[in-house]
């Protein structure tokens, strides 16, 4: 094969360049990891007709169809179109495949479609965020998780969205069995106590996980009708300084979280290092460079927080540092 293939263009189009010369893989986005089962047959067809018959289920809940020759990529793009339509991916041009590879597939746990602990429909929010942020060249990682169990590992992402609920307590239904207290102590943060045979919730301590709701046998505790979320920011893995995301907003709403994510694109576009290869740089490194106050100014532009939302005015990250000073 000649060397006239523009591999940079292929990578931007969400094709992986493999270690085997002339062979790549097609990355298929699945926002929230939730899809119509018919897509599986379409992926199988592409894998068998154009690839080597194998598919990798990625850590970001997408598919990677392996063993595709570079010269077959145009045909694969056409085959991907029904999948893109069915899953619901933004495109500027039909048949062009995935027009950016920057912002990664939005991850989500199974959510309240199935899980009794989840406080919201994670796939629904993931798809909503997908519509707002893709396609985009900047390197963002976002995850939605239904409760504080954090099965989606949201704290390892640039933005982690953790479902919360404000437990609604009806004392007339309470039989003082203390099942909620035992559950909160064993599985959560021990935020419940009993006074005069009724349950008292420590609002400052409560993380809104909803364990009390799942443990109550009489439905004295129920979830709030309004959906609340905790937004954690700037978690990451990587070579230099892996770290967990820290809380930025608590008891926030989805609209404001999405505004903050979109505002962050403007911030990164302004401050990303000119030396960043392929405009890929962890947002956390940019914040380290500009300072958190500057980031916060951009992130909160035109954001009107709800009265119940708590904001962390100062956010500090720790984490493991791999740098020359610490190397043996």
């Amino acid at each position: 094969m000649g060397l006239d293939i523009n591999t940079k263009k292929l990578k931007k189009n969400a094709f992986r360049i493999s270690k085997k010369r002339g062979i790549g893989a097609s990355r298929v986005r699945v926002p929230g990891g939730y899809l119509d089962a018919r897509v599986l047959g379409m992926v199988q067809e592409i894998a068998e007709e154009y690839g080597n018959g194998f598919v990798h289920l990625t850590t970001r809940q997408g598919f990677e169809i392996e063993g595709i020759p570079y010269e077959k990529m145009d045909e694969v793009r056409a085959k991907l179109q029904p999948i893109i339509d069915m899953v619901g991916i933004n495109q500027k041009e039909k048949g062009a495949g995935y027009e950016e590879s920057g912002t990664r597939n939005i991850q989500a746990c199974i959510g309240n479609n199935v899980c009794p602990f989840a406080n919201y429909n994670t796939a629904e929010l993931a798809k909503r965020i997908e519509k707002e942020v893709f396609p985009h060249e900047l390197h963002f990682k976002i995850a939605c998780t239904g409760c504080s169990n954090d099965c989606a590992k949201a704290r390892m992402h640039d933005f982690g969205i953790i479902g919360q609920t404000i437990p609604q307590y009806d004392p007339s239904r309470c039989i003082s069995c203390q099942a909620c207290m035992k559950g909160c102590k064993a599985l959560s943060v021990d935020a419940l106590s009993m006074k005069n045979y009724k349950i008292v919730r420590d609002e400052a301590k409560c993380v809104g996980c909803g364990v009390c709701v799942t443990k109550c046998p009489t439905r004295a505790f129920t979830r709030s009708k309004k959906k609340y979320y905790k937004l954690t920011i700037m978690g990451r893995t990587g070579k230099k300084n892996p770290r967990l995301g820290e809380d930025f907003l608590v008891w926030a709403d989805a609209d404001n979280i999405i505004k903050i994510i979109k505002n962050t694109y403007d911030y990164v576009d302004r401050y990303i290092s000119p030396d960043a290869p392929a405009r890929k740089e962890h947002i956390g490194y940019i914040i380290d460079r500009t300072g958190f106050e500057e980031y916060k100014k951009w992130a909160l532009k035109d954001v009107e927080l709800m009265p119940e939302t708590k904001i962390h005015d100062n956010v500090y990250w720790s984490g493991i540092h791999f740098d020359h000073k610490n190397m043996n």
Side-chain angles (χ1 to χ4, degrees), residues 29 60 100-106 129-130 133-142 261 265:
R29 293 179 73 87
R60 298 212 62 82
E100 287 290 352
S101 63
T103 296
R104 298 303 193 246
N105 187 57
I106 316 297
I129 296 171
E130 171 81 10
V133 303
F134 187 83
H136 209 292
E137 65 173 345
L138 294 175
H139 185 81
F140 280 35
K141 291 180 178 176
I142 304 167
I261 293 172
Y265 280 94

Side-chain angles (χ1 to χ4, degrees), residues 34-316:
Y34 198 73
L35 48 72
D36 188 308
R38 289 175 294 174
V39 170
L40 300 175
M42 299 176 188
V43 170
Q44 177 187 358
E45 181 182 337
I46 296 171
E48 292 177 346
E49 185 174 351
Y50 296 96
N52 59 12
F54 284 86
V55 175
H56 177 228
L57 300 179
T58 75
T59 57
R60 298 212 62 82
Q61 299 181 311
F63 299 106
E64 199 160 283
I65 305 172
E66 299 179 7
I68 301 173
Y70 290 172
E71 64 268 23
K72 296 291 186 180
M73 297 297 190
D74 286 341
E75 296 176 48
V76 169
R77 286 190 193 93
K79 284 285 189 177
L80 287 171
Q81 192 59 51
I83 296 175
I84 290 171
D85 291 339
M86 188 171 291
V87 173
I89 306 294
N90 287 335
Q91 283 180 300
K92 299 171 187 173
E93 178 187 346
K94 292 282 187 180
Y98 301 95
E99 293 162 306
E100 287 290 352
S101 63
T103 296
R104 298 303 193 246
N105 187 57
I106 316 297
Q107 284 184 242
C109 71
I110 191 63
N112 68 3
N113 276 326
V114 175
C115 180
F117 298 106
N119 291 311
Y120 73 104
N121 188 322
T122 53
E124 185 178 87
L125 182 58
K127 290 180 179 182
R128 180 181 170 190
I129 296 171
E130 171 81 10
K131 291 291 187 183
E132 295 283 351
V133 303
F134 187 83
H136 209 292
E137 65 173 345
L138 294 175
H139 185 81
F140 280 35
K141 291 180 178 176
I142 304 167
C144 302
T145 198
C147 72
S148 295
N149 286 338
D150 194 9
C151 296
K153 305 298 182 288
R155 287 189 182 274
M156 296 174 69
H157 291 70
D158 298 309
F159 293 102
I161 303 166
I162 300 173
Q164 295 186 285
T165 188
I166 297 179
Q168 305 297 297
Y169 179 59
D170 181 354
S172 69
R173 299 183 69 93
C174 181
I175 57 174
S176 303
C177 68
Q178 301 184 29
C180 58
M181 289 175 54
K182 294 172 185 175
C184 188
K185 184 175 182 178
L187 302 174
S188 193
V189 296
D190 196 14
L192 301 179
S193 60
M194 177 168 280
K195 291 182 181 179
N196 298 322
Y197 302 100
K198 299 301 178 187
I199 300 299
V200 176
R201 181 173 66 95
D202 185 337
E203 294 183 10
K205 197 173 184 181
C206 177
V207 295
C209 64
V211 165
C212 54
V213 176
T214 64
K215 295 300 181 182
C216 181
T218 64
R219 288 186 59 80
F221 271 115
T222 54
R223 285 186 173 89
S224 54
K225 291 182 179 179
K226 192 170 185 178
K227 303 297 182 186
Y228 293 94
Y229 309 87
K230 179 182 294 184
L231 177 64
T232 69
I233 57 173
M234 307 312 136
R236 63 174 179 240
T237 54
K239 302 179 185 73
K240 291 194 244 180
N241 177 210
R243 66 192 188 189
L244 293 178
E246 295 285 346
D247 293 355
F248 183 30
L249 301 182
V250 183
W251 311 113
D253 65 327
D255 290 346
N256 279 326
I257 287 174
I258 291 172
K259 280 184 185 178
I260 287 170
I261 293 172
K262 292 177 72 175
N263 285 344
T264 302
Y265 280 94
D266 295 333
Y267 163 81
V268 172
D269 194 54
R270 167 65 179 81
Y271 286 113
I272 191 170
S273 170
D275 300 322
R279 299 216 354 125
K280 285 171 59 177
E281 183 179 19
H282 278 296
I283 309 168
Y285 292 137
I286 303 173
I287 294 176
D288 293 344
R289 192 165 62 243
T290 69
F292 177 71
E293 284 299 318
E294 180 66 11
Y295 168 70
K296 187 170 70 172
K297 181 179 75 177
W298 285 73
L300 296 179
K301 181 182 177 184
D302 299 325
V303 172
E304 295 184 11
L305 299 176
M306 300 184 299
E308 58 266 50
T309 300
K310 298 185 184 303
I311 182 168
H312 288 233
D313 289 321
N314 298 295
V315 178
Y316 303 96

